[in-house]
Amino acid sequence: MHPGAWWIWAIALGTAATRTTNPLLLALLIAASAYVVATHRSSAPWARSYSAFAKLAFAVLLIRLVFAVALGSPIPGTHVLLTLPEIPLPHWAQGIRLGGEVTAEALVFAAYDGLKLATLLICVGAANALASPSRLLKSLPGALYETGVAVVVALTFAPHLIADVQRLRAARRLRGRPDRGIRGLLQVGLPVLEGALERSVALAAAMEARGYGRTADVPARIRRTTAALTLGGLLGVCAGTYGLLTAEGGSYGAPLLLAGIVAALAGLRLGGRRSPRTRYRPDPWGPRAWLVTGSGVAVAALLTLASSRAPEALHPGVVPLTAPTLPLWPAASILLALLPAFIVPREHS
C-alpha cells in the first residue's frame, strides 16, 4: 500500500472530525481508525506510536476540562456542580475569571471541544502507525525532498524514543531494578537521551556520505518563477480555504482554491529540477490506494455535507443541556472508513 494513501485517508478522517462535536460520531471515527490500525499495523518501531498518540489525546481532553473548571467558560449554565473560590484580577484582565461557579453545561461544552481535538490527534497517530516514513519520503516530489527529510526525521523521533523507553524499562525490570517514579525516570531518561544523540550523529554522517543537499544548476529565471508560483499557489490555497469556510466567500472560495492548487503544483514541478533524484523500486499507486483514499475522502465529504444539512445533529446543543443523538446516515458514512481493513493485505514487516 502506498504510504501517501494512508496519510490522505487519515487526514480526511481528521477533517471529518472537525465538522462535528457529536461525541457519538467522534467515538465512531476513533473506533474506525483504531480497528484499521489494529488489523494492519506492522511490527516496525514507528508503528508503535499509535498508543502514544492515544495517550496524548486523552491528556489533551483532560487539560481542556481542567481549563474549563479553573478558568471558567463563556457558556451560560444553570446546573451548578460546584463553586470554587474566585481570585480577583486587575481591571486590565477583564473577561478572564479564575475560579467561580462550574456548571454542567460548561463541562459538557469543554468535553465536546476537547474530544474533537483528541480525535484529530488519534487520526494523525493512525497515519504514523500505518505509513512507513522512509517510503513516504521516497514518494515525495523533488521540490519537497529537503523539507520532507526534516519532517520524516521529526516524525520518526517520537516512535524511536518510545521504543527506547520500552526497551530500557523492560531491561531494568529483568534486572530487578525500579522503572517507575522519579528515580526510575532519571535512570531511564539519561540512556534514552544518549541513544537519541548517537542516532542523530549517525544520521548526519549517513546523510553527508550519501551526498545529501546537492542541487543542480538551474537558471535564476526558473528559480524566481518557481518561488512565485509556489508562494502564490499556497496563498491562493489559504485564501480559497478561508472563503469556503465563511459564508461571505462562497463565490470566490472554490475558484481561488483551484487556482492556488494548480499554481502550487506547477511550482513544485519546476522546483523538482533543483533536486534530480532517481527512485529505486517506487511504490505503485494502484486500485487499492485509490479505494483507501476514496473511503477517507468520502467520509470527510459526507460529514461536511451533513454539517450544512443537519447542523443540530452534528453539533448537539448544551444550552439547554440535552443528550446527543446518533444521526443515522452520518454514522453510516463513517463506516466507509473501515474499507481499508478489508481490501488491503496485511503487511508483516
CSV table of all heavy atoms in Angstrom, one decimal, residues 45 75 77 91-92 99 253 263 308 341:
chain,number,residue,atom,x,y,z
A,45,PRO,N,9.3,-0.2,14.6
A,45,PRO,CA,9.3,0.7,15.7
A,45,PRO,C,8.3,1.9,15.5
A,45,PRO,O,7.6,2.3,16.5
A,45,PRO,CB,10.7,1.2,15.9
A,45,PRO,CG,11.5,0.1,15.2
A,45,PRO,CD,10.7,-0.4,14.1
A,75,ILE,N,-19.9,29.8,28.2
A,75,ILE,CA,-21.1,29.2,28.0
A,75,ILE,C,-22.0,29.4,29.3
A,75,ILE,O,-21.6,29.0,30.4
A,75,ILE,CB,-21.0,27.7,27.8
A,75,ILE,CG1,-20.1,27.5,26.5
A,75,ILE,CG2,-22.3,27.0,27.6
A,75,ILE,CD1,-20.6,28.0,25.3
A,77,GLY,N,-24.9,28.7,32.0
A,77,GLY,CA,-25.4,27.4,32.5
A,77,GLY,C,-26.2,27.6,33.8
A,77,GLY,O,-26.0,28.6,34.5
A,91,HIS,N,-8.1,45.2,36.6
A,91,HIS,CA,-9.1,45.6,35.6
A,91,HIS,C,-8.6,45.3,34.2
A,91,HIS,O,-9.5,45.2,33.3
A,91,HIS,CB,-9.3,47.2,35.8
A,91,HIS,CG,-8.1,48.0,35.4
A,91,HIS,ND1,-7.0,48.2,36.3
A,91,HIS,CD2,-7.8,48.6,34.3
A,91,HIS,CE1,-6.1,48.9,35.7
A,91,HIS,NE2,-6.5,49.2,34.5
A,92,TRP,N,-7.3,45.3,34.0
A,92,TRP,CA,-6.8,45.0,32.6
A,92,TRP,C,-7.0,43.6,32.2
A,92,TRP,O,-6.8,43.2,31.0
A,92,TRP,CB,-5.4,45.4,32.4
A,92,TRP,CG,-4.5,44.8,33.5
A,92,TRP,CD1,-4.1,45.4,34.7
A,92,TRP,CD2,-3.8,43.5,33.5
A,92,TRP,NE1,-3.2,44.6,35.4
A,92,TRP,CE2,-3.1,43.4,34.7
A,92,TRP,CE3,-3.9,42.5,32.6
A,92,TRP,CZ2,-2.3,42.3,35.0
A,92,TRP,CZ3,-3.1,41.3,32.9
A,92,TRP,CH2,-2.4,41.3,34.1
A,99,GLY,N,-11.5,30.6,38.9
A,99,GLY,CA,-12.5,30.0,39.9
A,99,GLY,C,-13.9,30.4,39.6
A,99,GLY,O,-14.3,30.7,38.5
A,253,GLY,N,-14.4,31.3,-3.2
A,253,GLY,CA,-13.6,30.4,-2.5
A,253,GLY,C,-13.1,29.2,-3.4
A,253,GLY,O,-11.9,28.9,-3.5
A,263,ALA,N,-1.4,26.4,-9.3
A,263,ALA,CA,-0.1,27.1,-9.3
A,263,ALA,C,0.9,26.4,-8.4
A,263,ALA,O,2.1,26.4,-8.7
A,263,ALA,CB,-0.4,28.6,-8.8
A,308,SER,N,-23.8,20.9,7.0
A,308,SER,CA,-24.6,22.0,6.5
A,308,SER,C,-26.1,21.7,6.4
A,308,SER,O,-27.0,22.5,6.4
A,308,SER,CB,-24.1,22.4,5.1
A,308,SER,OG,-24.1,21.3,4.2
A,341,ALA,N,-9.6,-1.9,6.0
A,341,ALA,CA,-9.4,-3.1,6.8
A,341,ALA,C,-9.7,-4.4,6.1
A,341,ALA,O,-9.2,-5.5,6.4
A,341,ALA,CB,-10.2,-3.1,8.1
